Amino acid sequence: MLNLTRYAGCGKRACTLVSSFCVKERSNTNPPANSRKISTHFREEHTRSEHEQRFTTYWTGLVAASVIAASVDTDSENAPSSQSVEADNIPSPTSSGTETEETLIAESEDPLPEILKNSDKLFHQGRYMEVDALLQGYAHVDSAEVMWRRARAQFEIIKREGQDPSILARSRRVRQMQEVVDLVDQALQLDEANSSAHCWKAILSNACSGLAGFKAQFQNLETMKYHLERAIELNPNNNHALTLLGTWHMNLLDLNFFIRAFVRTVMKIPVHCSYMEALHLFLKAEEVAPKASIVNLFMTGKAYFRLNHKSKAKQYVELALQQQAVDDEDLMYLEEAKQFYRDNLAS
């Protein structure tokens, strides 16, 4: 099976409230007698709330319009009556309007971004069961971000359930892995342009094919490469996808010559890989996230060694050995780096 490093990955709705007041017109000679009182009342209450300010402006406008109409009527004895407003038709500034606005604002505050952020923190702490439980509450949401994170957490849970060699246990793991792959497939159906979903499709398809056997895993090579390249195309700064694709090249090149020949000739799988391409990918990942990955530092040194740059190889492998392991996978690569250094770079 190809060894791959784990990838741990990444608007609020605008709510526009539109208020309108409908005014009915009725004939009357003079403006309402209580217009000045109404205007004064609303001026005194001007600062109470946004709703009352709107009504104050509204009433002031009505009074001004009535006064103008009255002044025009004095020029003509037979002038038509001015406009009047039925107070009953004007909505009062009650708490119902405030409640409606608060409800809309509450609905606009989408909690999902914060949930995803918390799930990432839990994942980095190795609390995979909690991540799965947290995101399970949003399983009904059609979100690619939720789905690939659920797939990631469930994959880590399956890996840690043990390696029972029995046929029944193996069959169960295969079924579980296929369900995880289906999750990330759903994420890509919702958002094909999601770089992280493509990255995890590559990881999970490799793991699933590994359970299916030697032939299935090699048949999955080009699928894996496609999704890693697509992830980088969508996000050139996806350092995890860069490291994984570089590792894809290195693992194939480190295979026995006869196995590579078998893959090309017998299985008819066109595999194109090179140490130079792998080195380019590792250096790009290091540029994006310096010293963030023990795997990337070690593989960079290993690629330099394969290209006969021993001094550079020694520099990067030593950097890898200086880093602190944060999980079991880091520990595994640290042990491999130590052995590689002793065998090839210690002298």
Side-chain angles (χ1 to χ4, degrees):
M1 182 185 296
L2 300 180
N3 292 323
L4 294 174
T5 184
R6 187 190 62 208
Y7 171 65
C10 0
K12 293 186 177 180
R13 292 174 293 153
C15 182
T16 304
L17 300 177
V18 180
S19 301
S20 62
F21 300 99
C22 298
V23 180
K24 292 185 179 180
E25 300 181 353
R26 181 175 292 178
S27 298
N28 198 354
T29 304
N30 296 313
N34 62 342
S35 62
R36 292 182 180 274
K37 293 181 181 180
I38 294 172
S39 178
T40 301
H41 168 71
F42 276 94
R43 281 198 300 272
E44 292 173 349
E45 301 293 330
H46 181 69
T47 60
R48 286 189 177 182
S49 68
E50 181 182 353
H51 296 287
E52 294 183 2
Q53 290 174 16
R54 292 175 182 173
F55 285 113
T56 301
T57 303
Y58 172 71
W59 274 107
T60 303
L62 288 179
V63 172
S66 298
V67 171
I68 292 171
S71 64
V72 173
D73 289 343
T74 57
D75 295 337
S76 175
E77 294 180 355
N78 298 322
S81 60
S82 61
Q83 295 177 341
S84 165
V85 178
E86 289 185 4
D88 294 340
N89 290 332
I90 302 173
S92 60
T94 61
S95 60
S96 60
T98 303
E99 291 173 358
T100 301
E101 184 174 352
E102 289 176 351
T103 301
L104 290 171
I105 291 173
E107 290 177 354
S108 69
E109 295 176 353
D110 187 357
L112 189 55
E114 190 64 26
I115 294 295
L116 296 177
K117 183 178 178 181
N118 291 337
S119 75
D120 288 342
K121 288 181 180 178
L122 291 172
F123 184 87
H124 293 312
Q125 294 169 5
R127 298 157 67 179
Y128 308 120
M129 295 289 289
E130 293 179 49
V131 175
D132 189 42
L134 177 64
L135 296 178
Q136 186 64 36
Y138 291 84
H140 63 285
V141 179
D142 287 337
S143 168
E145 294 296 329
V146 170
M147 288 180 179
W148 74 256
R149 282 177 171 83
R150 287 184 63 206
R152 176 180 67 172
Q154 290 179 20
F155 173 60
E156 294 297 334
I157 293 169
I158 293 169
K159 284 201 306 184
R160 284 157 178 76
E161 285 183 344
Q163 298 296 323
D164 186 346
S166 68
I167 296 176
L168 182 60
R170 182 181 178 85
S171 176
R172 183 178 67 252
R173 285 197 299 274
V174 170
R175 184 179 67 255
Q176 290 173 332
M177 282 301 307
Q178 187 56 56
E179 291 173 355
V180 172
V181 172
D182 290 343
L183 262 180
V184 82
D185 283 339
Q186 291 175 39
L188 288 173
Q189 288 175 5
L190 288 171
D191 183 9
E192 194 281 332
N194 190 303
S195 176
S196 297
H198 278 286
C199 191
W200 275 95
K201 170 64 176 182
I203 296 171
L204 297 173
S205 66
N206 176 67
C208 192
S209 64
L211 290 173
F214 174 87
K215 182 178 180 181
Q217 188 167 33
F218 278 98
Q219 288 175 333
N220 186 63
L221 285 173
E222 288 301 313
T223 298
M224 184 180 176
K225 184 181 182 183
Y226 164 77
H227 285 287
L228 290 174
E229 290 177 337
R230 180 64 175 143
I232 296 168
E233 178 186 355
L234 292 167
N235 179 12
N237 291 328
N238 188 333
N239 60 303
H240 304 286
L242 290 164
T243 299
L244 288 169
L245 186 55
T247 304
W248 183 92
H249 284 267
M250 292 291 291
N251 286 339
L252 285 175
L253 289 166
D254 285 348
L255 286 175
N256 182 286
F257 169 80
F258 295 103
I259 294 178
R260 279 187 285 150
F262 175 80
V263 170
R264 288 193 180 99
T265 59
V266 179
M267 298 183 68
K268 307 295 184 183
I269 299 174
V271 178
H272 305 286
C273 49
S274 73
Y275 288 120
M276 187 61 71
E277 179 64 19
L279 179 61
H280 170 74
L281 292 163
F282 293 139
L283 292 175
K284 175 62 177 175
E286 203 59 33
E287 178 185 334
V288 172
K291 300 179 183 178
S293 167
I294 291 174
V295 178
N296 196 73
L297 288 169
F298 170 52
M299 297 303 286
T300 303
K302 196 172 180 180
Y304 268 123
F305 182 81
R306 296 286 188 256
L307 292 168
N308 298 317
H309 295 288
K310 191 172 181 179
S311 60
K312 281 284 190 180
K314 187 173 183 179
Q315 174 188 344
Y316 276 93
V317 175
E318 286 177 346
L319 278 174
L321 295 173
Q322 292 168 11
Q323 307 307 307
Q324 186 69 34
V326 296
D327 55 27
D328 294 340
E329 193 166 31
D330 280 349
L331 288 172
M332 180 187 72
Y333 275 100
L334 275 178
E335 287 301 317
E336 186 177 344
K338 289 176 184 177
Q339 187 63 47
F340 184 84
Y341 187 86
R342 286 194 296 265
D343 294 344
N344 302 289
L345 304 170
S347 57

